[in-house]
Amino acid sequence: MNESFVAHFAKDWIESWNEHNLDRILSHYTDDFEMNSPVIIQITGNSEGKLKGKKAVGEYWQKALKLIPDLHFESICTLVGTNSITLHYKGAKGRLSAEVFLFNDDGLVHTAYAHYAI
């Protein structure tokens, strides 16, 4: 996790969401990545809050973007681990959010965990 990679990932991830560009968003992930989020439960009814694969997650995110057409993220800070990054940001309706991204050797996210302030 070098500084250049981390800065680029954080900037590109936020920008792709703010553009609502699903292809660009999905470009950060492996084909078989796993997404974990309590919002998955709300939007899909999946009681585990877990989806696996770009197809399933892409369909979920496409639905979420339609439900929240004014979705905008504002970066607060980026936290760095050994093979992970946590982005802390203001999400939908200014709600504090954080996502933990675990990366493979090619610099793509293979697992992500979303967290939201209550």
Side-chain angles (χ1 to χ4, degrees), residues 9 23-35 51-58 61 101-112:
F9 176 85
D23 289 335
R24 187 173 171 193
I25 293 166
L26 289 170
S27 74
H28 299 106
Y29 302 89
T30 62
D31 288 338
D32 64 346
F33 88 100
E34 181 180 296
M35 181 68 208
L51 294 171
K52 187 152 179 113
K54 273 189 183 180
K55 184 176 182 334
V57 178
W61 282 339
F101 303 96
L102 304 177
F103 291 83
N104 69 8
D105 292 339
D106 295 324
L108 294 173
V109 177
H110 64 78
T111 307

Coordinates of all heavy atoms in Angstrom, one line a residue, residues 9 23-35 51-58 61 101-112:
F9 N -6.6 5.4 -5.5 CA -7.7 4.6 -5.3 C -8.8 5.4 -4.6 O -10.0 5.4 -5.1 CB -7.4 3.4 -4.4 CG -8.6 2.6 -4.1 CD1 -9.1 1.6 -5.0 CD2 -9.3 2.8 -2.9 CE1 -10.3 0.9 -4.7 CE2 -10.5 2.1 -2.6 CZ -11.0 1.2 -3.5
D23 N -19.8 1.3 -14.3 CA -18.7 0.6 -14.9 C -17.4 1.0 -14.2 O -16.5 0.2 -13.9 CB -18.6 0.9 -16.4 CG -19.7 0.1 -17.1 OD1 -20.2 -0.9 -16.6 OD2 -20.0 0.6 -18.2
R24 N -17.2 2.3 -14.0 CA -16.0 2.8 -13.3 C -15.9 2.3 -11.8 O -14.9 2.0 -11.4 CB -16.0 4.4 -13.4 CG -14.7 5.0 -12.8 CD -14.7 6.5 -13.1 NE -13.5 7.1 -12.4 CZ -13.4 8.4 -12.3 NH1 -14.3 9.2 -12.7 NH2 -12.4 8.9 -11.6
I25 N -17.1 2.3 -11.2 CA -17.1 1.8 -9.8 C -16.6 0.4 -9.8 O -15.8 0.0 -9.0 CB -18.6 1.9 -9.2 CG1 -19.0 3.4 -9.0 CG2 -18.6 1.2 -7.9 CD1 -20.5 3.6 -8.8
L26 N -17.2 -0.4 -10.6 CA -16.9 -1.9 -10.6 C -15.5 -2.2 -11.1 O -15.0 -3.2 -10.8 CB -17.9 -2.6 -11.5 CG -19.4 -2.7 -11.0 CD1 -20.3 -3.2 -12.0 CD2 -19.4 -3.6 -9.7
S27 N -14.8 -1.2 -11.8 CA -13.5 -1.5 -12.2 C -12.5 -1.6 -11.1 O -11.4 -2.1 -11.3 CB -13.0 -0.3 -13.1 OG -12.7 0.9 -12.4
H28 N -12.9 -1.3 -9.9 CA -12.0 -1.4 -8.7 C -12.0 -2.8 -8.1 O -11.2 -3.0 -7.2 CB -12.5 -0.4 -7.6 CG -12.4 1.1 -8.1 ND1 -13.5 1.8 -8.4 CD2 -11.4 1.9 -8.3 CE1 -13.2 3.0 -8.7 NE2 -11.9 3.1 -8.7
Y29 N -12.8 -3.7 -8.6 CA -13.1 -4.9 -7.9 C -12.7 -6.1 -8.8 O -12.8 -6.1 -10.0 CB -14.6 -5.0 -7.5 CG -15.0 -3.9 -6.6 CD1 -15.4 -2.7 -7.1 CD2 -14.9 -4.0 -5.2 CE1 -15.8 -1.6 -6.3 CE2 -15.2 -2.9 -4.4 CZ -15.7 -1.8 -4.9 OH -16.0 -0.7 -4.1
T30 N -12.4 -7.3 -8.1 CA -12.2 -8.5 -8.9 C -13.6 -9.0 -9.3 O -14.6 -8.6 -8.8 CB -11.6 -9.6 -7.9 OG1 -12.4 -9.8 -6.8 CG2 -10.2 -9.2 -7.5
D31 N -13.6 -9.9 -10.3 CA -14.9 -10.5 -10.8 C -15.7 -11.2 -9.7 O -16.9 -11.2 -9.7 CB -14.6 -11.4 -12.0 CG -14.2 -10.6 -13.2 OD1 -14.5 -9.4 -13.3 OD2 -13.6 -11.3 -14.1
D32 N -14.9 -11.8 -8.7 CA -15.6 -12.6 -7.7 C -15.6 -12.0 -6.3 O -15.8 -12.6 -5.3 CB -15.0 -14.0 -7.6 CG -13.5 -13.9 -7.2 OD1 -12.9 -12.8 -7.2 OD2 -13.0 -15.0 -6.8
F33 N -15.5 -10.6 -6.3 CA -15.4 -10.0 -5.0 C -16.7 -10.1 -4.2 O -17.7 -10.4 -4.7 CB -15.0 -8.5 -5.2 CG -16.1 -7.5 -5.4 CD1 -16.6 -6.8 -4.3 CD2 -16.7 -7.3 -6.6 CE1 -17.6 -5.9 -4.5 CE2 -17.7 -6.4 -6.8 CZ -18.2 -5.7 -5.7
E34 N -16.5 -10.0 -2.9 CA -17.6 -10.1 -1.9 C -17.8 -8.8 -1.3 O -16.9 -8.1 -0.8 CB -17.2 -11.1 -0.9 CG -18.3 -11.4 0.1 CD -17.8 -12.4 1.2 OE1 -17.6 -13.6 0.8 OE2 -17.7 -12.0 2.4
M35 N -19.1 -8.3 -1.3 CA -19.5 -7.1 -0.7 C -20.3 -7.4 0.5 O -21.3 -8.2 0.5 CB -20.3 -6.3 -1.7 CG -20.8 -4.9 -1.2 SD -19.4 -3.8 -0.9 CE -19.9 -2.8 0.4
L51 N -23.1 -10.1 -0.7 CA -23.3 -10.5 -2.1 C -21.9 -10.9 -2.6 O -20.9 -10.3 -2.2 CB -23.8 -9.3 -2.9 CG -25.3 -8.9 -2.6 CD1 -25.6 -7.6 -3.3 CD2 -26.2 -10.0 -2.9
K52 N -21.9 -11.8 -3.6 CA -20.6 -12.2 -4.2 C -20.7 -12.1 -5.7 O -21.6 -12.6 -6.3 CB -20.3 -13.6 -3.8 CG -18.9 -14.1 -4.2 CD -18.3 -15.1 -3.3 CE -17.0 -15.5 -3.7 NZ -15.9 -15.2 -2.9
G53 N -19.6 -11.5 -6.3 CA -19.5 -11.4 -7.7 C -19.9 -10.0 -8.2 O -20.9 -9.4 -7.7
K54 N -19.3 -9.6 -9.3 CA -19.6 -8.3 -9.9 C -21.0 -8.2 -10.4 O -21.7 -7.1 -10.3 CB -18.6 -8.0 -11.1 CG -17.4 -7.3 -10.7 CD -16.6 -6.9 -11.9 CE -15.3 -6.2 -11.5 NZ -14.5 -5.8 -12.7
K55 N -21.5 -9.3 -11.0 CA -22.9 -9.3 -11.5 C -23.9 -9.0 -10.4 O -24.7 -8.1 -10.5 CB -23.2 -10.6 -12.2 CG -24.6 -10.6 -12.9 CD -24.8 -11.9 -13.6 CE -26.0 -12.0 -14.4 NZ -27.2 -11.3 -14.0
A56 N -23.8 -9.7 -9.3 CA -24.8 -9.5 -8.2 C -24.6 -8.2 -7.5 O -25.6 -7.5 -7.3 CB -24.6 -10.7 -7.2
V57 N -23.4 -7.8 -7.3 CA -23.2 -6.5 -6.6 C -23.5 -5.3 -7.6 O -24.1 -4.3 -7.2 CB -21.7 -6.4 -6.1 CG1 -21.5 -5.0 -5.5 CG2 -21.4 -7.5 -5.1
G58 N -23.2 -5.5 -8.9 CA -23.6 -4.5 -9.8 C -25.1 -4.2 -9.9 O -25.5 -3.1 -10.0
W61 N -26.0 -2.3 -6.7 CA -25.6 -0.9 -6.8 C -26.4 -0.2 -7.8 O -26.7 1.0 -7.6 CB -24.1 -0.8 -7.1 CG -23.3 -1.1 -5.8 CD1 -23.7 -1.0 -4.5 CD2 -21.9 -1.4 -5.8 NE1 -22.6 -1.3 -3.7 CE2 -21.5 -1.6 -4.5 CE3 -20.9 -1.7 -6.8 CZ2 -20.2 -1.9 -4.1 CZ3 -19.7 -2.0 -6.4 CH2 -19.3 -2.1 -5.1
F101 N -11.6 -2.0 2.4 CA -11.4 -2.7 1.2 C -10.1 -3.6 1.4 O -9.1 -3.1 1.7 CB -11.1 -1.7 0.1 CG -12.2 -0.7 -0.1 CD1 -12.1 0.6 0.4 CD2 -13.3 -1.0 -0.9 CE1 -13.1 1.5 0.2 CE2 -14.3 -0.1 -1.1 CZ -14.2 1.2 -0.5
L102 N -10.3 -4.9 1.1 CA -9.1 -5.8 1.1 C -8.7 -6.1 -0.3 O -9.6 -6.4 -1.2 CB -9.5 -7.1 1.8 CG -10.1 -7.0 3.2 CD1 -10.5 -8.3 3.7 CD2 -9.1 -6.3 4.1
F103 N -7.4 -5.9 -0.6 CA -6.9 -6.0 -2.0 C -6.2 -7.3 -2.3 O -5.5 -7.8 -1.4 CB -5.9 -4.8 -2.2 CG -6.6 -3.5 -2.2 CD1 -6.9 -2.8 -1.1 CD2 -7.0 -2.9 -3.4 CE1 -7.5 -1.6 -1.1 CE2 -7.6 -1.6 -3.5 CZ -7.9 -1.0 -2.3
N104 N -6.2 -7.7 -3.6 CA -5.4 -8.8 -4.0 C -4.0 -8.2 -4.5 O -3.8 -7.0 -4.5 CB -6.1 -9.6 -5.1 CG -6.3 -8.9 -6.4 OD1 -5.7 -7.8 -6.7 ND2 -7.0 -9.5 -7.3
D105 N -3.2 -9.1 -5.0 CA -1.9 -8.7 -5.5 C -1.9 -7.8 -6.7 O -0.9 -7.1 -7.0 CB -1.0 -9.9 -5.7 CG -0.6 -10.7 -4.5 OD1 -0.7 -10.1 -3.4 OD2 -0.3 -11.9 -4.6
D106 N -3.0 -7.8 -7.4 CA -3.1 -6.9 -8.6 C -3.7 -5.6 -8.3 O -3.9 -4.8 -9.2 CB -4.0 -7.6 -9.7 CG -3.4 -8.9 -10.2 OD1 -2.2 -9.0 -10.4 OD2 -4.2 -9.9 -10.4
G107 N -3.9 -5.3 -7.0 CA -4.4 -4.0 -6.6 C -5.9 -3.8 -6.8 O -6.4 -2.7 -6.9
L108 N -6.6 -4.9 -6.9 CA -8.1 -4.9 -7.0 C -8.7 -5.4 -5.7 O -8.2 -6.2 -5.0 CB -8.6 -5.8 -8.1 CG -8.2 -5.4 -9.5 CD1 -8.6 -6.4 -10.6 CD2 -8.8 -4.0 -9.9
V109 N -9.9 -4.9 -5.4 CA -10.6 -5.2 -4.2 C -11.2 -6.6 -4.3 O -12.0 -6.8 -5.3 CB -11.7 -4.2 -3.8 CG1 -12.5 -4.6 -2.6 CG2 -11.1 -2.8 -3.7
H110 N -10.9 -7.5 -3.4 CA -11.6 -8.8 -3.4 C -12.7 -8.9 -2.4 O -13.6 -9.8 -2.5 CB -10.6 -9.9 -3.3 CG -9.8 -10.0 -2.0 ND1 -10.4 -10.5 -0.9 CD2 -8.6 -9.6 -1.7 CE1 -9.4 -10.4 0.1 NE2 -8.4 -9.9 -0.4
T111 N -12.6 -8.1 -1.3 CA -13.6 -8.1 -0.3 C -13.8 -6.7 0.3 O -12.8 -6.0 0.4 CB -13.2 -9.0 0.9 OG1 -12.8 -10.3 0.4 CG2 -14.3 -9.2 1.9
A112 N -15.0 -6.3 0.5 CA -15.3 -5.0 1.1 C -16.4 -5.1 2.2 O -17.3 -5.9 2.1 CB -15.8 -4.1 0.0

